[in-house]
Amino acid sequence: MNFSEVFKQSNQLCKVSPDGKYLATCVQYRLVVRDFNSLQIAHLYTCLDPVMHMEWSSDSLFILCAMYKRGLVQVWSLEQPDWHCKIDEGSIGLVSSRWSPDGRHVLNTTEFNLRVTVWSLCTKAVSYIKYPKACQKGVDFTADGRYMALAERRECKDYISVFVCDDWHLLRHFESETQDLAGLEWSPNCCVLAVWDNCLEYKLLLYSLDGRLLSSYSAYEWSLGIKSVAWSPSSQFLAVGSYDEKVRILNHITWKKITEFEHPATIINTKAVVFKEVEKRPVVGSEDLSIHQLTVDNSLFSTQSKYEITQLPAQVPVIKPDPDRANPKIGISALAFSADNRFLATKNDNMPQSLWVWDMQRLSLLAVLEQTAPVRCFVWDPRRPRLALCTGNTKVYLWSPAGCVSVNVPVEGSFQVLSLFWHCSGSSLVLLSKEHICLCYVEAGASCGHT
Amino acid sequence: MSPSRLYTASVMPPLPLSSFNVSSNFCTEENISECILYINQELSSLCFPPIFQNSDSIRDLDAVVALNNIHDLLQLHRRAVGMMEELEVEQLKSSSDLHYQHLTNSRLKDQLELSKKENMRLHERERQLETNLKTLQNCLKDTKEEVQRLQGIIASRAIQYNHDIKRREREHNRVKERLNQLLIAKKENKQGMEVLNYVGRSDGRRCLWKTGKTESRHEGDMYKTLLSEFDNRQRELMVENIELKKVLQQMKREMVGVLNSKKMSQKEEKQSNDMDQTNSDDDELLKGHPEMSCDHAREKLTNSIRQQWRKLKHHVERLDSQASMVQDEDSEEVISKQLHEEEMERLKLEIQQCKEFIETQQQLLQQQLNTPCDEETAAVLNDSYMLEEKERLKEEWKVFEEQRKNFEMERRNFTEAAIRLGHERKCFEDDRAMWLKHQFLNTPFADQMKPQSRMADEFSKHSGREEKLISISGKVSKSHL
């Protein structure tokens, strides 16, 4: 694995263009666009304020930079560097800004979620959408970019509006049977909308594209409910992670639960492999402590680590959450399916150092990765069943069905990997630390044997 | 006296005083002296003085002594009777006591029984009450736990609600502040968008006006999407369904095949025949329309599969039990599990060894291929090896040639010898014939028999010898050829 040099960024704003050719990073006021292969600066733009949110348009021709404090959105063009566009929300303020799927409209959510303004880059038309709901995930676009679902709240009731992104025509508007809608997500085949209630009530509703209620699912009453939801890429499964530390998988034919994945503190399933990260400190001899060595060779201080396979039954470290706090750190907070549908990675908040990988073909636990620090971020390779994760230290970890490996980021000084994402081709990883980024080139066919 | 008789059956009745007929029974005119003697004896045994003296005559009776003795006897008798009466009374008393004791005993036994039963009943009740108590305690514990759990839930919900309320209150305050700001602020920042020029749509088409037609078009598009999705799903499910049906039918056929190939009893055969019948029915039903299958056919298929599977399972279980029983015997057909496993282990080991062998060979081969450092030396080496080989081969060839020549010569010699031998034999035959002819012609006729016989003997001897010679020469010639 090769690593590139380190570049600056701020606010964790670093995105690869959808076509994979460019890498855009924001450094305070500036927007730097580099060619992905050569990492040479292709374009440089300057915004009026430190950028809080940056997004590529779907056709990779425009970049949106939002500055929430000033209520400004600036759009830059890659084809015409002198083209400029500035959207000022004025006194009404700005809390979020995003592209529409066609890459020609900008949706701005004003402060206090008063309304959503749809600005068009093609025409002078401006649309307003009233009463948007401020929740975990109130807006979602279908994968083909044709429809948008928006959660609304009027008169203490939840509604869902489906818009046609072509001309922002309101296709359907129906009341949702939730008490307090927390999120909605389209299925990858664009035909089913999953809507879930907030944690006080476990309720998952499935609506068809034309607004009919297909099914409703509730696993239990009273205790804290749904924490996270994920569709499988084929739309066959819907994984629901809840506060009771279980993931329930629903199937797309009957919308009933086919299995539930538990996250027990003691793993006794003999088919699962438990990888435990073990740090090995290098032995330092007295003659090695020269100043030269200390400054140049950072491997002296960064510890190497490798994975060891633990014998079953294995204990997973559990951290009991504070019972007096809201949104307790317990339950499945993150779910991700692999691109080929075969694997599901989950993270249980009261076992923050462990990552669980499930085999979707056998519907059983495949591997548990126990790290030395809480897992901060994990993402699947968009092309193959390979999982990259980071825990905030100087290493990046890769898991694949062949095994897992831990790689130290060989950067001068220490590079604490806070988050990461894959390039769309799956051939490289972009690692983000607090103020820097680094690219990691991974061989496409590399099988990771555990060291 | 009569009541005493009822209770004192064992006691002999007292002698009635009135029925004294002693004289008629005991003493008569004849045996007076014996009686007297007897009475003397008896009296002396009872320590009375005798009524008769020994030396006196037989009938000399001492009247005083006799009367004294009689008086004493009467006294004794009276005393005895009195004692007997007393004893009888005593006995009556004790028997009535005993009876009373018996009665009380039985009464107390009954009471004991009753109290035992009562005790058991009370025990039983106590046990039931205890189990009741336990279950109620468990219920109480469960309810307490439930209550605790619900309290926990209520507490967490309350925390969520509070958190939510605080958040909303904060937001509300911010809204109020902003509203105040806006009311106070003089300059109103208007919303607006500044853009250098409008860009075209990503798909290159023009923007359309919003009309009723577009609306219906949108509706149509939406329904098309849904329909296509349904179609896809239905197609996938159909394909899956057909696959599964095929698999089921194949499974069924295979199971039937497996079950029929084993030797089964008459009954099972009959059953299988019936099953085959139904199987053929199924096949007919489903053969024609694999896509359309009514519930009935589907059910039949699944039922028949279940039945076949059950039979197969029984069969396999039977085989298993057979195998375990047969383990000790040396049966050719059935190999015991242990032997089988040993065989497997051995084969595995063999495979391992072969693999290692192949690896080493590969390595050596690799080495061999790798060792020639450059082509020239390799070529030279190869040539030198070849040369050596060639030389050796040449020498060997020479040797072979020589040997072949020798063999040829010998063969020729032998054939010549054989031919010569043939000629010589012919000459010898001719000579013999001549010699015999001479002999025959020269011998006189007088000694016909003997010489003839002698001749015959000699003839036979000669012929025998000649035969031997011929056979020997034949053998020799044969060997040489």
Side-chain angles (χ1 to χ4, degrees):
Chain A
M1 287 207 282
N2 294 324
F3 289 85
S4 73
E5 57 183 79
V6 163
F7 302 106
K8 274 182 90 73
Q9 50 90 355
S10 62
N11 275 336
Q12 311 276 298
L13 289 171
C14 174
K15 302 242 166 85
V16 175
S17 65
D19 60 2
K21 289 194 201 147
Y22 297 102
L23 175 74
T25 48
C26 284
V27 189
Q28 298 295 329
Y29 292 77
R30 279 203 277 275
L31 172 66
V32 182
V33 180
R34 292 170 195 276
D35 176 72
F36 194 84
N37 295 324
S38 63
L39 292 177
Q40 297 291 327
I41 297 179
H43 301 282
L44 192 62
Y45 306 99
T46 311
C47 301
L48 297 165
D49 216 36
V51 179
M52 305 290 286
H53 175 73
M54 185 259 291
E55 197 177 324
W56 281 92
S57 70
S58 57
D59 52 4
S60 308
L61 294 175
F62 296 97
I63 302 179
L64 170 160
C65 295
M67 293 138 270
Y68 297 143
K69 278 196 203 126
R70 287 271 298 263
L72 282 174
V73 174
Q74 281 185 283
V75 184
W76 305 102
S77 160
L78 254 69
E79 284 180 321
Q80 292 177 283
D82 0 311
W83 187 89
H84 62 86
C85 171
K86 185 175 80 168
I87 301 170
D88 192 350
E89 288 291 339
S91 36
I92 208 166
L94 185 66
V95 280
S96 94
S97 176
R98 57 164 61 83
W99 280 107
S100 74
D102 63 357
R104 295 291 178 271
H105 294 87
V106 175
L107 283 91
N108 285 346
T109 312
T110 62
E111 213 168 345
F112 311 117
N113 279 78
L114 279 175
R115 65 175 184 217
V116 173
T117 322
V118 184
W119 299 96
S120 167
L121 295 176
C122 318
T123 65
K124 289 188 188 169
V126 180
S127 311
Y128 298 104
I129 304 173
K130 284 209 294 186
Y131 310 112
K133 183 156 189 197
C135 54
Q136 189 188 14
K137 189 168 178 184
V139 181
D140 195 32
F141 294 99
T142 55
D144 57 8
R146 286 205 289 173
Y147 304 103
M148 174 179 92
L150 181 78
E152 295 176 15
R153 184 114 180 148
R154 289 168 208 250
E155 288 156 33
C156 309
K157 283 198 213 150
D158 287 319
Y159 293 89
I160 296 173
S161 298
V162 179
F163 292 93
V164 181
C165 294
D166 223 13
D167 54 4
W168 304 105
H169 158 69
L170 177 65
L171 188 68
R172 285 285 188 279
H173 179 79
F174 50 92
E175 191 180 334
S176 160
E177 286 181 21
T178 48
Q179 289 282 348
D180 186 6
L181 197 153
L184 41 74
E185 191 165 328
W186 288 103
S187 67
N189 67 0
C190 316
C191 293
V192 181
L193 182 67
V195 174
W196 59 95
D197 222 330
N198 82 343
C199 59
L200 288 171
E201 184 165 343
Y202 194 125
K203 196 189 250 185
L204 182 82
L205 298 165
L206 290 137
Y207 287 96
S208 155
L209 178 58
D210 56 346
R212 288 175 297 128
L213 176 65
L214 294 172
S215 175
S216 156
Y217 176 71
S218 173
Y220 52 79
E221 277 189 314
W222 307 125
S223 299
L224 292 179
I226 300 176
K227 198 161 187 185
S228 58
V229 171
W231 283 98
S232 76
S234 64
S235 310
Q236 280 176 306
F237 302 116
L238 180 61
V240 182
S242 44
Y243 280 88
D244 66 345
E245 303 181 57
K246 287 191 201 165
V247 176
R248 290 174 178 84
I249 309 281
L250 310 181
N251 75 87
H252 71 307
I253 299 177
T254 59
W255 300 116
K256 297 245 187 305
K257 174 184 88 167
I258 48 174
T259 186
E260 59 184 41
F261 294 147
E262 282 187 22
H263 296 73
T266 313
I267 301 167
I268 48 175
N269 179 356
T270 49
K271 292 213 182 104
V273 183
V274 179
F275 293 101
K276 193 179 154 88
E277 189 198 357
V278 165
E279 282 186 344
K280 39 183 188 183
R281 296 192 177 280
V283 174
V284 178
S286 57
E287 60 268 23
D288 291 340
L289 283 172
S290 62
I291 304 290
H292 179 70
Q293 287 279 344
L294 282 172
T295 48
V296 171
D297 191 3
N298 75 324
S299 63
L300 201 67
F301 286 122
S302 68
T303 53
Q304 297 289 317
S305 78
K306 63 181 178 96
Y307 280 104
E308 276 182 1
I309 296 184
T310 352
Q311 289 288 332
L312 293 167
Q315 290 288 114
V316 180
V318 175
I319 295 177
K320 280 201 80 162
D322 187 358
D324 293 332
R325 297 205 56 188
N327 299 320
K329 288 226 173 294
I330 186 171
I332 314 298
S333 61
L335 296 166
F337 277 96
S338 67
D340 60 355
N341 258 328
R342 298 246 301 270
F343 305 103
L344 172 68
T346 64
K347 183 180 156 205
N348 189 359
D349 272 350
N350 60 334
M351 300 166 185
Q353 297 178 345
S354 308
L355 193 70
W356 304 63
V357 183
W358 306 83
D359 185 344
M360 288 310 287
Q361 280 184 318
R362 293 197 187 84
L363 291 178
S364 69
L365 182 62
L366 186 63
V368 176
L369 276 73
E370 205 184 298
Q371 309 292 127
T372 51
V375 175
R376 280 188 71 105
C377 178
F378 60 94
V379 261
W380 286 99
D381 183 328
R383 293 281 176 89
R384 45 195 82 79
R386 198 159 49 174
L387 183 66
L389 59 137
C390 66
T391 62
N393 57 11
T394 56
K395 298 181 195 56
V396 67
Y397 306 93
L398 285 165
W399 175 89
S400 78
C404 55
V405 73
S406 111
V407 183
N408 218 353
V409 179
V411 164
E412 231 178 80
S414 71
F415 187 94
Q416 316 271 22
V417 185
L418 296 179
S419 80
L420 41 69
F421 60 90
W422 289 91
H423 182 259
C424 50
S425 67
S427 59
S428 45
L429 270 170
V430 179
L431 313 170
L432 283 89
S433 75
K434 188 152 182 287
E435 305 215 320
H436 295 94
I437 57 160
C438 174
L439 267 73
C440 167
Y441 299 98
V442 186
E443 289 94 54
S447 63
C448 315
H450 44 271
T451 47
Chain B
M1 280 293 164
S2 50
S4 71
R5 264 194 207 128
L6 284 171
Y7 298 108
T8 59
S10 56
V11 178
M12 281 182 44
L15 288 162
L17 282 163
S18 54
S19 57
F20 259 126
N21 295 327
V22 182
S23 55
S24 61
N25 290 337
F26 176 62
C27 187
T28 54
E29 293 292 327
E30 290 87 42
N31 61 353
I32 288 173
S33 50
E34 283 99 12
C35 292
I36 290 169
L37 271 171
Y38 176 69
I39 283 170
N40 265 349
Q41 274 180 1
E42 291 287 317
L43 286 173
S44 61
S45 73
L46 289 171
C47 306
F48 283 123
I51 54 172
F52 262 115
Q53 303 291 338
N54 280 343
S55 56
D56 291 324
S57 64
I58 303 161
R59 291 189 189 193
D60 208 0
L61 194 66
D62 197 349
V64 174
V65 175
L67 285 167
N68 278 334
N69 285 344
I70 288 167
H71 176 75
D72 285 338
L73 282 169
L74 283 170
Q75 292 268 13
L76 268 174
H77 177 77
R78 221 175 272 135
R79 243 189 287 141
V81 165
M83 265 166 48
M84 207 168 69
E85 277 180 10
E86 275 173 28
L87 283 173
E88 272 181 15
V89 164
E90 286 284 336
Q91 195 207 26
L92 264 174
K93 266 198 221 161
S94 59
S95 67
S96 70
D97 270 344
L98 187 67
H99 176 64
Y100 177 68
Q101 290 298 328
H102 274 305
L103 282 174
T104 45
N105 193 22
S106 57
R107 190 173 50 84
L108 286 172
K109 267 188 187 162
D110 287 339
Q111 264 185 0
L112 185 67
E113 280 296 318
L114 275 172
S115 56
K116 267 189 187 163
K117 275 187 193 154
E118 186 72 22
N119 197 19
M120 275 186 56
R121 196 177 58 82
L122 289 171
H123 268 300
E124 183 64 30
R125 217 170 123 225
E126 196 189 320
R127 197 184 55 80
Q128 276 177 354
L129 286 172
E130 260 179 36
T131 49
N132 253 4
L133 182 69
K134 271 200 196 115
T135 47
L136 285 171
Q137 274 178 342
N138 281 341
C139 277
L140 181 68
K141 202 166 64 139
D142 288 340
T143 320
K144 274 191 184 157
E145 276 172 15
E146 185 74 16
V147 163
Q148 267 188 340
R149 192 181 68 89
L150 287 170
Q151 277 178 343
I153 287 169
I154 289 170
S156 67
R157 285 176 84 87
I159 290 168
Q160 280 304 126
Y161 284 132
N162 287 338
H163 174 83
D164 221 18
I165 280 177
K166 279 186 198 148
R167 194 166 49 88
R168 282 181 207 275
E169 209 178 308
R170 270 183 242 127
E171 197 172 327
H172 188 66
N173 285 335
R174 266 184 285 138
V175 174
K176 280 198 277 195
E177 270 176 38
R178 173 56 78 87
L179 199 58
N180 275 327
Q181 266 181 7
L182 284 173
L183 285 170
I184 294 166
K186 293 193 184 131
K187 199 168 63 163
E188 238 188 62
N189 286 352
K190 283 235 170 89
Q191 276 192 307
M193 182 169 88
E194 283 172 32
V195 68
L196 188 64
N197 53 272
Y198 288 106
V199 291
R201 279 159 59 104
S202 50
D203 49 4
R205 297 202 325 247
R206 280 175 180 278
C207 300
L208 295 167
W209 294 103
K210 268 192 203 173
T211 58
K213 221 165 64 168
T214 54
E215 281 183 30
S216 55
R217 192 169 49 86
H218 286 315
E219 288 279 316
D221 282 341
M222 180 188 77
Y223 283 122
K224 264 190 225 159
T225 322
L226 279 174
L227 270 174
S228 65
E229 185 58 33
F230 283 140
D231 274 338
N232 282 342
R233 207 201 297 170
Q234 204 229 6
R235 227 178 297 133
E236 277 172 22
L237 286 172
M238 271 252 285
V239 164
E240 211 181 307
N241 212 10
I242 291 174
E243 281 267 338
L244 287 171
K245 275 210 196 107
K246 274 196 212 146
V247 166
L248 275 177
Q249 283 190 342
Q250 197 191 358
M251 257 176 63
K252 197 182 69 171
R253 256 181 267 134
E254 279 175 14
M255 278 200 275
V256 166
V258 162
L259 287 170
N260 283 341
S261 65
K262 308 282 180 195
K263 286 186 189 157
M264 293 192 298
S265 64
Q266 281 271 334
K267 220 194 328 178
E268 290 177 56
E269 271 179 353
K270 234 192 258 177
Q271 275 182 7
S272 72
N273 283 338
D274 292 335
M275 200 44 56
D276 284 337
Q277 184 101 49
T278 51
N279 288 347
S280 57
D281 287 341
D282 281 338
D283 286 337
E284 276 173 25
L285 256 171
L286 295 166
K287 219 186 279 181
H289 308 279
E291 291 94 21
M292 305 167 6
S293 69
C294 50
D295 284 336
H296 179 61
R298 205 171 53 228
E299 255 181 59
K300 265 182 101 176
L301 177 64
T302 46
N303 282 338
S304 65
I305 289 225
R306 278 205 199 101
Q307 278 174 329
Q308 295 288 4
W309 174 244
R310 241 179 272 137
K311 286 210 299 197
L312 193 69
K313 210 169 54 163
H314 285 315
H315 191 70
V316 168
E317 280 166 9
R318 213 159 22 94
L319 281 176
D320 264 340
S321 59
Q322 263 185 18
S324 60
M325 281 195 297
V326 158
Q327 240 176 23
D328 300 325
E329 298 175 20
D330 282 335
S331 162
E332 280 179 23
E333 288 178 14
V334 179
I335 311 170
S336 71
K337 251 189 199 171
Q338 209 186 1
L339 277 174
H340 177 74
E341 272 167 20
E342 280 170 21
E343 193 72 26
M344 291 284 286
E345 287 294 326
R346 202 175 52 79
L347 287 168
K348 274 183 193 159
L349 200 65
E350 241 182 89
I351 288 170
Q352 188 69 24
Q353 284 171 347
C354 289
K355 273 189 188 158
E356 281 166 16
F357 189 58
I358 290 169
E359 260 184 53
T360 46
Q361 284 211 329
Q362 182 75 18
Q363 276 177 11
L364 288 170
L365 194 69
Q366 202 72 29
Q367 265 179 21
Q368 187 143 35
L369 289 172
N370 289 340
T371 38
C373 27
D374 55 326
E375 284 199 11
E376 284 180 15
T377 48
V380 163
L381 278 170
N382 278 344
D383 279 347
S384 64
Y385 288 141
M386 295 301 284
L387 204 66
E388 212 182 287
E389 290 264 342
K390 274 186 204 163
E391 298 274 326
R392 231 179 335 113
L393 277 171
K394 267 189 201 157
E395 280 177 25
E396 276 177 18
W397 201 254
K398 262 188 230 156
V399 168
F400 285 142
E401 284 292 329
E402 278 177 32
Q403 280 185 354
R404 193 157 64 90
K405 277 184 200 145
N406 291 339
F407 283 140
E408 280 288 312
M409 268 175 54
E410 273 179 29
R411 197 200 292 174
R412 245 180 279 129
N413 292 338
F414 285 139
T415 46
E416 277 171 19
I419 293 165
R420 252 187 289 123
L421 201 67
H423 281 308
E424 276 174 15
R425 199 199 302 162
K426 200 162 146 264
C427 295
F428 183 69
E429 285 288 326
D430 290 337
D431 285 337
R432 193 172 63 123
M434 286 290 289
W435 184 78
L436 280 171
K437 206 165 68 176
H438 281 304
Q439 283 278 27
F440 188 65
L441 289 170
N442 293 340
T443 53
F445 279 96
D447 298 296
Q448 258 189 17
M449 300 306 273
K450 283 182 195 170
Q452 265 190 359
S453 66
R454 226 187 23 203
M455 205 57 62
D457 283 337
E458 280 179 17
F459 200 61
S460 64
K461 265 190 228 164
H462 279 301
S463 61
R465 233 181 281 138
E466 276 158 25
E467 275 177 23
K468 274 188 207 161
L469 273 171
I470 290 166
S471 67
I472 288 168
S473 67
K475 273 187 200 161
V476 167
S477 62
K478 267 191 202 152
S479 68
H480 276 291
L481 286 167

